[in-house]
């Protein structure tokens, strides 16, 4: 294997493990636990946002997808029709497509909703008007539900992508 392929594979696997693992952990354990804490769960989410969670994940996801596409380009001889029609080519392509859909959802839906939740959470302690507070809490609940459902969709897509990548050479 060439040095370039080795580096690309290392980037792809390390970033992919981080991306998928973080999403798996968030969807299966962290989000349900935070929801059960009520308002105290929001404090934990605030710290995640402050630490750059919503900024890091898209970067790692992009590195995963771009390194995977570059590897597939090299291994398939420029996406040759013959390779892409093979069982490994079809499996890698399908896994890549699922990952690309996951990153599109992860970049277009989740950061704007997360940023708005963060902004509302910062606003709430200063508000004195109870009706305004109630309106913002309602908006935050709606946005958190959107984050949760989009996170679960990304989770399912990444499970499919990881599974296809893991077994591609054996089908």
């Amino acid at each position: 294997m060439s040095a370039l392929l080795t580096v690309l594979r290392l980037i792809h696997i390390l970033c992919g493990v981080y991306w998928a693992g973080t999403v798996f952990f968030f969807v299966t354990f962290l989000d349900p636990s935070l929801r059960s804490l009520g308002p105290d769960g929001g404090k934990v989410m605030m710290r995640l946002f402050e630490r750059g969670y919503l900024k890091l994940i898209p970067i790692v996801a992009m590195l995963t997808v771009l390194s995977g596409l570059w590897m597939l380009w090299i291994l398939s001889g420029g996406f040759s029709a013959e390779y892409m029609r093979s069982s490994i080519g079809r499996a890698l392509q399908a896994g890549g497509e699922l990952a690309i859909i996951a990153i599109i959802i992860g970049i277009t839906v989740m950061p704007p909703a997360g940023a708005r939740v963060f902004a509302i959470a910062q606003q709430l302690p200063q508000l004195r008007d109870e009706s305004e507070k109630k309106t913002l809490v309602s908006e935050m609940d709606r946005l958190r539900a959107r984050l949760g459902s989009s996170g679960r969709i990304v989770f399912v897509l990444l499970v499919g992508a990881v599974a296809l990548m893991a077994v591609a050479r054996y089908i």
Side-chain angles (χ1 to χ4, degrees):
M1 186 181 320
S2 75
L4 176 59
L5 274 174
T6 301
V7 170
L8 289 172
R9 185 172 172 84
L10 186 62
I11 292 168
H12 187 69
I13 290 172
L14 291 177
C15 289
V17 165
Y18 186 87
W19 178 27
T22 300
V23 170
F24 294 176
F25 173 74
F26 187 86
V27 168
T28 58
F29 294 104
L30 187 59
D31 188 49
S33 297
L34 295 176
R35 286 184 188 281
S36 73
L37 293 174
D40 289 336
K43 293 174 187 174
V44 175
M45 285 305 295
M46 289 280 294
R47 297 305 163 257
L48 281 173
F49 293 160
E50 287 171 355
R51 292 184 59 95
Y53 175 73
L54 288 178
K55 293 176 183 162
L56 180 61
I57 294 298
I59 293 167
V60 171
M62 286 300 288
L63 287 170
T64 303
V65 170
L66 293 174
S67 61
L69 285 170
W70 195 353
M71 278 193 305
L72 185 57
W73 172 264
I74 292 168
L75 294 172
S76 68
F79 301 128
S80 74
E82 182 180 335
Y83 184 88
M84 298 310 288
R85 280 193 302 265
S86 70
S87 59
I88 190 171
R90 286 194 314 268
L92 292 174
Q93 178 181 354
E97 288 169 353
L98 292 176
I100 290 168
I101 294 167
I103 200 171
I104 289 169
I105 293 168
I107 288 175
T108 61
V109 175
M110 299 180 84
R116 181 65 184 140
V117 167
F118 183 68
I120 291 170
Q122 287 181 313
Q123 249 182 305
L124 284 175
Q126 289 92 27
L127 291 178
R128 301 286 175 243
D129 181 4
E130 285 302 316
S131 68
E132 191 177 353
K133 243 183 194 182
K134 189 175 180 179
T135 301
L136 285 177
V137 168
S138 175
E139 181 184 355
M140 186 170 13
D141 289 344
R142 182 183 55 76
L143 289 165
R144 287 181 71 203
R146 184 174 185 183
L147 278 168
S149 61
S150 58
R152 287 186 294 279
I153 291 167
V154 169
F155 170 78
V156 169
L157 291 165
L158 288 178
V159 166
V162 168
L164 284 163
M165 301 287 170
V167 302
R169 68 177 55 197
Y170 305 108
I171 11 185

